[in-house]
Amino acid sequence: MTWRSWLVLVLLALAGYLVSGLTQVRPGEVGVVRRLGQVVDVVAPGLHLGLPWGFGRVDRVAIDEQRQLNVGYVDRDDPLPDRLPVGQVLTADDQLLNLRITLFFRVDAAAVVEFVLNQERIEELMTRLAEETLVVALGGERASRVLLGQAQGLESQLQARLAARIRSLGLALRIDSVNIVEAQPPTELIEVYRQVNRARTQREILEREALGRKSSEISAGRQDASRIVADAKTTAAEKKAVAQAEANRFTTLLASLPADPAARQAALLNLYLTEMQAILPRMQMRTLSDQGVDQTIILPGAPR
């Protein structure tokens, strides 16, 4: 091989080395330029020429990409059986639950440099933070509410707590959502939970039946009360009508008495005696003696 051939090879190798500094940043990405390990620039999508390999590099970060991380309990043999399994948390009522969540997050474009500098440990940090958040959040929830899906806002609470911890550590990430993908009691407690759920279901059935009976009895009581009140009103109206008729009859009779005082007095006495003759047969008389003193009283209702 001649010296010219060697020269061509050297020039080609040099050209290839120089081209190694050419980087294509695609749409939806941001390029972080580093020279000799130091971040010197952040570039937008496009073709960029920098220093060749060994002197500079461009880390391309997809800021539009939604990333996913699964955190929590995985059913496997634990080499340390005395240790609490990862993802097994204690609830507010001192119950153990196996929980697994999925995190959906993106790189924060405003802090992409921090992401590049920490990207090798991002997943590990996110996992530890998510586990910490699970322990704190579940410490305020009852196991039954979580298992029955009644812990409203738990996923939102996990998201808010995790986002706050990420901001405090400057991890340059944005949490889109946190989904609970598994919530189960430990294997050895599944039958106990089933018995508890059956008992809870039976209790709810009995409560509904009792409430139904209560509602029926209240409705029947109200109907009886309404009937009694209606009967009382009818009786009162009838007695009032009879009394009003008697009053009218007496008023008419009184108006028909003579105007002369002596004759009027005689007519009133005659009316009194006539009425008493009708009343006295229905009365009963009793004589009470006390220390030689007799006292006669009149009681309603003639003896039979």
Side-chain angles (χ1 to χ4, degrees):
M1 183 178 293
T2 63
W3 66 270
R4 290 188 178 85
S5 299
W6 282 106
L7 180 61
V8 171
L9 290 176
V10 170
L11 292 175
L12 290 175
L14 180 60
Y17 178 67
L18 294 175
V19 170
S20 67
L22 190 64
T23 304
Q24 174 68 45
V25 179
R26 292 187 289 269
E29 294 181 338
V30 171
V32 178
V33 181
R34 288 194 279 184
R35 292 175 184 168
L36 300 176
Q38 298 295 320
V39 176
V40 296
D41 196 10
V42 176
V43 295
L47 189 63
H48 301 276
L49 180 62
L51 294 179
W53 179 84
F55 294 95
R57 59 179 290 183
V58 178
D59 294 285
R60 298 181 307 178
V61 180
I63 58 175
D64 289 343
E65 176 187 358
Q66 187 179 64
R67 302 163 190 258
Q68 177 178 330
L69 178 64
N70 295 317
V71 179
Y73 183 81
V74 178
D75 189 11
R76 58 173 179 265
D77 294 334
D78 195 336
L80 299 175
D82 295 333
R83 183 185 63 182
L84 192 67
V86 174
Q88 192 171 91
V89 296
L90 192 66
T91 60
D93 50 350
D94 298 327
Q95 301 295 323
L96 287 174
L97 289 182
N98 296 336
L99 281 170
R100 186 168 179 80
I101 62 175
T102 299
L103 312 178
F104 296 94
F105 61 96
R106 303 173 191 269
V107 177
D108 188 355
V112 67
V113 173
E114 288 78 3
F115 174 79
V116 169
L117 296 178
N118 295 284
Q119 60 183 334
E120 294 180 356
R121 59 193 187 101
I122 284 290
E123 183 172 329
E124 179 65 21
L125 286 172
M126 285 280 289
T127 300
R128 299 287 80 80
L129 290 176
E131 292 172 352
E132 171 195 324
T133 303
L134 270 177
V135 172
V136 174
L138 267 295
E141 290 288 350
R142 298 180 62 85
S144 58
R145 289 173 51 81
V146 177
L147 292 174
L148 297 175
Q150 297 174 348
Q152 302 295 330
L154 180 57
E155 292 177 340
S156 300
Q157 181 183 354
L158 289 170
Q159 179 180 348
R161 287 181 179 273
L162 185 56
R165 293 290 288 125
I166 287 174
R167 285 194 301 270
S168 68
L169 296 178
L171 294 186
L173 298 176
R174 292 185 294 107
I175 302 296
D176 290 339
S177 63
V178 176
N179 296 341
I180 299 177
V181 297
E182 181 181 350
Q184 296 292 336
T187 304
E188 58 272 17
L189 298 179
I190 288 179
E191 184 57 32
V192 175
Y193 272 89
R194 287 175 179 169
Q195 294 176 3
V196 171
N197 287 334
R198 285 195 292 268
R200 182 181 292 109
T201 301
Q202 185 64 26
R203 183 192 67 184
E204 292 174 352
I205 292 174
L206 294 175
E207 287 179 350
R208 286 196 297 269
E209 291 177 349
L211 290 174
R213 288 194 299 270
K214 175 183 176 182
S215 178
S216 298
E217 291 175 358
I218 290 175
S219 177
R222 287 174 176 170
Q223 291 176 1
D224 289 342
S226 299
R227 178 179 54 79
I228 292 172
V229 170
D231 291 345
K233 289 181 178 179
T234 301
T235 302
E238 292 175 350
K239 290 185 176 182
K240 182 179 179 181
V242 171
Q244 186 65 49
E246 290 290 334
N248 292 338
R249 182 181 66 82
F250 184 79
T251 301
T252 302
L253 180 61
L254 187 63
S256 66
L257 294 178
D260 181 66
R264 187 180 184 87
Q265 186 67 26
L268 286 174
L269 178 59
N270 183 55
L271 177 62
Y272 172 75
L273 293 175
T274 302
E275 292 296 328
M276 290 303 294
Q277 286 177 355
I279 293 174
L280 288 176
R282 301 196 301 267
M283 309 297 287
Q284 54 179 320
M285 301 184 66
R286 292 287 186 266
T287 301
L288 302 178
S289 298
D290 185 16
Q291 298 179 355
V293 178
D294 295 336
Q295 184 176 4
T296 302
I297 61 175
I298 301 176
L299 301 175
R304 295 181 181 181

